[in-house]
Amino acid sequence: MVETRDKRVSYYLLLLPALVIYLSVIIFPIGLSGVLSFTRWRNFVLTGFVGFDNYLVILRDPEFHRALWNNVQIMLTSVFGQIPLGVLLAYLLFRKLVRGTRFFEMVIFLPITISAVVVALLWNRIFSPVGLYTNMVRVLTGNPDYVVRIFENQGWAMVPILVVLLWMHTSLYMVMFLANMQRIPSSTIEAAKLDGAGEFTILTRVVVPSLANVLFISSIFAISGSFKSFDLVFAMTGGGPVNYTSVMSIYLYRHTFTFNNFGYGSAVSVIMVVISVGLITLTRWIYGRVQKKYD
């Protein structure tokens, strides 16, 4: 009995440093943001409590709607673009369906090692009015007057950013999936081949089911990461032009640190947390239903 109590005390002592850090770095700021979200500030001075007024103003703001929709586009690109493409690339390397697998592993993984600001500047040069994309189109079409205007189109302004995010972050998921594919017993793959299974069948019936837990974790990373998108978008477009590429984090940054309205910015952060937690909870529920179905 004494030994059990001593073990329990030891566990709590080992847990205490991480718990203190978690409470001070994560829980306390979220709680403080929740309190500040009911206040109004002017020139760094608290002017009073306004209840839910900040939330009502945010939910009625068309600029917030645009930022939210852009974040949704990033999330969909992450979940249904980066993850499937990461699985496909990992499978090609795992099954050695291409030559020079080591070379391709290095080349595909390279973008994630580069600073997001550097990546943004690089792709800005590509999509600039006198950049690589414009010159390629001029050569291919024979039109020397062509100028890329994709950022001026509200419906297409996010496309370059989505392409860059797909190019940059797919490599991380590829490495995760490749590492877990290498844990699949070779006898399982050989048994499937002896039964006449092709590569597509092996991928969908053997490999993907074995990656269920990793796919679930990757989905959570993709959802949470999509609502934290700031550095790449800010360095690439600054949210412009006319807020066409603004995201929630840029919207929060502008109202908090440009307009010095800390209550309004805190309300935006609370909304971001609620949306992220809601989507992650929904993902957990879907994963649980799928797991029960196949168990």
Side-chain angles (χ1 to χ4, degrees):
M1 193 71 171
V2 176
E3 184 180 354
T4 302
R5 186 169 60 251
D6 291 341
K7 283 185 178 180
R8 189 177 303 161
V9 172
S10 299
Y11 293 151
Y12 289 149
L13 289 175
L14 290 172
L15 179 64
L16 184 60
L19 181 61
V20 170
I21 293 174
Y22 180 76
L23 291 174
S24 59
V25 176
I26 304 295
I27 301 301
F28 175 73
I30 292 176
L32 181 60
S33 294
V35 174
L36 291 177
S37 68
F38 298 108
T39 63
R40 178 178 289 121
W41 294 68
R42 179 169 296 175
N43 297 327
F44 303 100
V45 177
L46 175 65
T47 60
F49 287 85
V50 295
F52 289 95
D53 287 357
N54 286 328
Y55 293 96
L56 294 177
V57 173
I58 291 170
L59 296 177
R60 293 170 183 165
D61 188 357
E63 183 185 341
F64 174 78
H65 298 162
R66 166 56 55 182
L68 176 60
W69 170 238
N70 288 340
N71 271 115
V72 170
Q73 293 183 70
I74 293 174
M75 182 192 68
L76 294 175
T77 302
S78 300
V79 175
F80 299 106
Q82 295 170 6
I83 293 177
L85 186 57
V87 171
L88 179 60
L89 292 173
Y91 184 76
L92 292 174
L93 298 175
F94 169 65
R95 297 286 296 143
K96 293 181 171 56
L97 299 178
V98 294
R99 294 182 179 179
T101 55
R102 296 296 181 187
F103 170 77
F104 283 108
E105 286 180 22
M106 179 188 67
V107 170
I108 296 173
F109 186 71
L110 185 61
I112 198 64
T113 64
I114 305 174
S115 167
V117 176
V118 175
V119 170
L121 294 175
L122 170 66
W123 284 88
N124 263 341
R125 294 295 182 91
I126 294 175
F127 287 110
S128 72
V130 293
L132 178 63
Y133 177 79
T134 297
N135 289 321
M136 286 181 60
V137 174
R138 286 177 179 177
V139 171
L140 294 174
T141 61
N143 180 11
D145 299 323
Y146 174 82
V147 177
V148 60
R149 300 186 184 278
I150 193 168
F151 287 112
E152 300 175 12
N153 187 308
Q154 182 175 349
W156 293 90
M158 280 296 294
V159 171
I161 294 175
L162 298 177
V163 170
V164 175
L165 289 171
L166 187 67
W167 172 79
M168 185 176 180
H169 292 287
T170 297
S171 57
L172 177 62
Y173 298 111
M174 182 206 72
V175 171
M176 292 173 57
F177 297 138
L178 181 60
N180 283 271
M181 287 179 187
Q182 291 170 345
R183 298 171 57 187
I184 300 174
S186 57
S187 58
T188 303
I189 305 294
E190 294 300 325
K193 291 177 65 176
L194 290 174
D195 289 337
E199 294 296 342
F200 180 77
T201 303
I202 294 174
L203 172 63
T204 55
R205 298 296 180 88
V206 178
V207 174
V208 171
S210 68
L211 297 177
N213 291 331
V214 186
L215 288 169
F216 167 65
I217 295 172
S218 299
S219 299
I220 291 179
F221 284 161
I223 292 171
S224 60
S226 64
F227 284 91
K228 295 189 299 181
S229 303
F230 177 83
D231 48 1
L232 178 73
V233 182
F234 190 80
M236 195 167 177
T237 65
V242 202
N243 299 317
Y244 286 170
T245 60
S246 178
V247 292
M248 294 176 69
S249 55
I250 291 179
Y251 182 82
L252 182 155
Y253 171 83
R254 184 178 296 118
H255 283 276
T256 304
F257 300 108
T258 302
F259 305 145
N260 298 324
N261 193 341
F262 302 105
Y264 194 93
S266 296
V268 177
S269 68
V270 171
I271 292 175
M272 292 173 63
V273 170
V274 170
I275 294 174
S276 298
V277 171
L279 290 172
I280 291 172
T281 303
L282 177 62
T283 304
R284 288 179 61 89
W285 179 80
I286 294 173
Y287 173 73
R289 293 291 298 269
V290 172
Q291 197 174 35
K292 286 181 180 179
K293 180 179 178 180
Y294 287 99
D295 285 347

